[in-house]
Amino acid sequence: MSTPGDSNVPADGTGGDQFMVMSQRSTNTPLLGVIKLDPWLSPFKDALKSRFNHAQKWIKTINDTEGGFEKFSKGFEKFGFNIQDNGDISYREWAPNATAAFLIGDFNDWNRDATPMTKDHYGVWELLLHPKDGKPAIPHNSKIKISMITPSGERIERVPAWITRVTQDLSVSPVYDAVFWNPPKSERYVFKHPKPKKPKSVRIYEAHVGISTPELKVGSYKEFTKDVLPRIKHLGYNVIQLMAVMEHAYYASFGYQVTSFFAASSRYGFPDDLKELIDTAHGLGITVLLDMVHSHACKNVLDGLNMFDGSDHLYFHEGAKGRHELWDSRLFNYGSHEVLRFLLSNLRFWMDEYQFDGFRFDGVTSMMYNHHGIGTGFSGGYHEYFGPNVDEQGVVYLMLANEMLHHLYPETITIAEDVSGMPALCVALSLGGIGFDYRLAMAIPDMWIKILKEKTDDQWDMSNICFTLTNRRHGENTIAYAESHDQALVGDKSLLMWLCDKELYTHMSTMTEFTPVIERGLGLHKMIRLITHGLGGEGYLNFEGNEFGHPEWLDFPRAGNDNSFWYARRQFNLVDDELLRYRFLNEFDSKMEWTEEKFGWLHSEQAYISLKNESDKVIVFERAGLLWIFNFHPSKSYADYRVGVEQDGTYKVVLNSDSKEFGGLGRIDEGTRFFTTPFGWNGRKNFTQVYIPTRTAIVLALESKI
C-alpha cells in the first residue's frame, strides 16, 4: 500500500542520501560474498540472491517514498503523542478499519464524543490539541485511550499503539491503562555519560530487573542501579542484557508477551529511573543491550495490538498464519510497510530515548521459518535453511533492522537467538547475509545439562565436549554460555543444583563438612564455566546469579504457586555471607572475567586443541597465547603431566580453579615457573610438565605477558 505521513517525500533529505549510500554500498559489493566465505552455499545462490534483492527493494522503496530510513525509522516523531514547543499536542494512529475515532481520557472526563479525530486516505487518524490556559490540554500522568467505531457499529477502546507509558493496578484490573507522559523539562533525566565504545570482547550479564533483589517483591530500576550495577562491575562483565523491559501484561511471561512496545515496564519504576540505570552503567564503562521481542506480540485486545482497529490483520497476519500455536500469541506481518515502520521505529526509539547500545533479538528462529521451529529439528543440512519453509519476509525484516542499526549506530551490537544454525546469520547484508554481530551457541547449555543428567563422571566424553564447544560457523561470531535463564526456569535446575542437589541446603556453609558432593560440585561448576568461556565462542554470557551457583529454580508469582515471590528473586545475600561457599564461585567468576579482559581470548582466533585424552579425562588447548589445562578425572591427579605448547618460554599460572580463594584445596603452587622444552609433543613445537589435580583447571601465560 502507499504510505501515510511523509509519503512521496523526495529522497533528497539527509536520511535519503545516507540510505542511498547504504543501498549502493550493498549493491556495488560483489554479490553474495557469503558464498566465498562458505562455498557449500553455492547450490542456494538463487535463494540468497532473492533475499538480498528483496531487502534492496525495500531500501529503494523507503528511500523513494519516505525520504530514507533515517526518517522512516523515526515514526515515533509523527505517530503516537508528540508535544510541540508551543504546547500543541498531536496524536496520530494507524487504524484503517475504524469508521470513526475519538481520544478519551481524564482530560475530557472520558466523553466519547468530545474529541473526535480525522482520518486521511492512508487510514491514519489524527488530531491537534492546543494548550488550555497556557498548559498542554492533556495533563501529565493522566489516563487516556483511543475510542473507535468499527464498520459493524461496535464501539471499541484501545491503548494507543505508540504509547510510552502504561500502568497497571491489579487491585482494580489486570488490564493496563495508557498514561500521557509529559513531565516538565526541568524534571526530565539528562544523560551525563557518553556511551562506551563497542567492546572487543563481549562478556554479557543477562539480568531481569524485577528479580534482582533477595526480597520477596518486584525489584526496581533504582535498586538495580544502586545494588546490582556495582556487583556486575566487580565481576568484570562489560555488557548487560536487560530482559523484560518492554511492557508486558503478565509478569510470569518473563517479558515475552509484550503489550506496549514503546513503554518501559512501569512495574519497576518510572522511565527516568531506567534512563538513570543505563546512564550509570555507561559511567562504569558497561554497554547495555535490550532483550528485543519482535518475534511475536501478546494476544491481549484491550491493552495490546491484537484486533487494534477491530480487524484481525492490522499489525499481524490474518488467520492461522498470524498466530503462534505454542506461544499463544500474534505474529507480525513483516511484509507490511506500516508494520516495518512500527518495528524499525521501535528499535530507533529504544536507542535514542533510553540510550541502549543494541539488542538481543528474541525468537529469531520463529521469525525466519514458516513452521516457527515448532515440531522441527535441524540436522544442519543446508536444504533446511532455504525453500518454502523459510519466511523470507521475516528474514528480510531482520536484514533491514540490522542494516539500519549498524548504519545509524556504528557501535551497536545485535545478537540473534536462533536454534536452527541459519547460515550467514552473522554476515553483513552487503555480503548477502542477515547482519547480526553474534549468535547464541544454544547447543552448549543443552550439552552440559545432558551430561549431568545422563552420564557418570567417568563417562564424560572429552571429544564430544570439545566438538560441541567448537562446532560453530567459521567467520560468524558466537556467544557461548553454560546456562542462561532458560535453564533456571521452573521444571529445570541450575548447574550447581544438578551437581549438588540437596546438599546445597546443608553443606554450603564453611562451618560444615566439605563433603565429596560439595567438593565435586564446586570444582566442576568452575571448570564447566571456564572451558565454555575459553573454547565456546567469541563472546560469553551468564544469567544473573548463576555466577555464584544460585540455588533453586526461577518461578514467577502465579496462581499455581499462590502468587509467591519465593523463587522470583536472586539471593545476592548468599554471596555477601562470608560463611557461605557461594562467594568462592562468585570470586572465581570475577577472576575469570577480569583475566579475559587482560588477555582478550574472546576476540582472539579459535583455540588449538592439542589433547583430548579420554582415559585421563584431560583437555589441553591454546588460545590468545594462553595454555589451558583441564583434568575432569573424578579421582586421578597427575604429576609431571606433559602438555604440548607452540610458543616456547617460561609460563606461570594466571588462573587456578583449585585456589583456596575460590573454594579449592590449594594443591597447586601458583608461584611455580613452568619451563618449556624444545621437543615436539601433541603436534606442538614444545612441551612443559605440570601438576594437575583431579577436577582442576589451570591457565598458564608467558611470564613476560603477565
Side-chain angles (χ1 to χ4, degrees), residues 561-574:
N561 63 14
D562 295 325
N563 291 308
S564 170
F565 281 88
W566 186 260
Y567 296 111
R569 59 191 179 123
R570 297 282 90 179
Q571 299 179 55
F572 293 114
N573 54 297
L574 298 175

Side-chain angles (χ1 to χ4, degrees), residues 457-458 616-617 631-638 667 693-695:
D457 290 4
D458 60 343
D616 292 348
K617 300 299 178 192
N631 178 10
F632 284 98
H633 201 285
S635 59
K636 289 184 180 179
S637 298
Y638 304 106
R667 292 166 290 187
T694 174
R695 295 197 183 111

Side-chain angles (χ1 to χ4, degrees), residues 670-688:
E670 295 185 21
T672 302
R673 302 172 75 210
F674 299 90
F675 303 99
T676 59
T677 299
F679 182 84
W681 194 257
N682 289 336
R684 312 310 275 161
K685 293 178 181 177
N686 305 278
F687 74 80
T688 189

Side-chain angles (χ1 to χ4, degrees), residues 372-474:
H372 310 297
I374 300 172
T376 303
F378 292 92
S379 66
Y382 278 22
H383 64 283
E384 296 169 339
Y385 306 123
F386 304 96
N389 285 332
V390 174
D391 182 348
E392 186 165 295
Q393 291 180 343
V395 172
V396 168
Y397 164 66
L398 293 170
M399 296 167 100
L400 295 173
N402 276 293
E403 185 73 355
M404 181 200 79
L405 286 167
H406 290 99
H407 184 76
L408 295 174
Y409 311 96
E411 297 287 301
T412 197
I413 296 172
T414 60
I415 302 170
E417 185 212 30
D418 170 44
V419 300
S420 74
M422 171 68 79
L425 188 65
C426 299
V427 175
L429 172 61
S430 59
L431 298 175
I434 296 174
F436 284 97
D437 293 296
Y438 296 92
R439 67 198 312 155
L440 293 174
M442 302 183 74
I444 294 176
D446 292 343
M447 174 195 71
W448 289 123
I449 292 295
K450 185 177 177 67
I451 289 173
L452 294 177
K453 281 182 178 180
E454 300 177 3
K455 305 288 185 182
T456 59
D457 290 4
D458 60 343
Q459 293 176 329
W460 285 31
D461 185 333
M462 300 295 104
S463 293
N464 181 62
I465 290 171
C466 291
F467 173 78
T468 304
L469 288 172
T470 57
N471 181 28
R472 54 188 184 270
R473 293 187 59 78
H474 180 70

Side-chain angles (χ1 to χ4, degrees), residues 549-586:
H550 197 286
E552 300 166 339
W553 51 87
L554 184 62
D555 189 15
F556 287 88
R558 54 188 174 84
N561 63 14
D562 295 325
N563 291 308
S564 170
F565 281 88
W566 186 260
Y567 296 111
R569 59 191 179 123
R570 297 282 90 179
Q571 299 179 55
F572 293 114
N573 54 297
L574 298 175
V575 175
D576 300 336
D577 191 331
E578 291 290 322
L579 295 179
L580 294 181
R581 294 186 167 105
Y582 293 104
R583 65 183 174 88
F584 297 138
L585 299 179
N586 192 74

Side-chain angles (χ1 to χ4, degrees), residues 11 56 68 146 157 169 212 267 272 331 361 374 392 402 418 425 457 509 515 520 533 565 569 605 660 669 686:
Q56 291 299 314
I146 182 172
E157 289 166 2
D169 185 351
S212 297
R267 55 172 56 87
D272 279 4
L331 297 171
F361 282 75
I374 300 172
E392 186 165 295
N402 276 293
D418 170 44
L425 188 65
D457 290 4
S509 168
T515 65
R520 170 183 179 267
H533 211 310
F565 281 88
R569 59 191 179 123
E605 292 183 6
K660 288 186 176 181
D669 180 359
N686 305 278

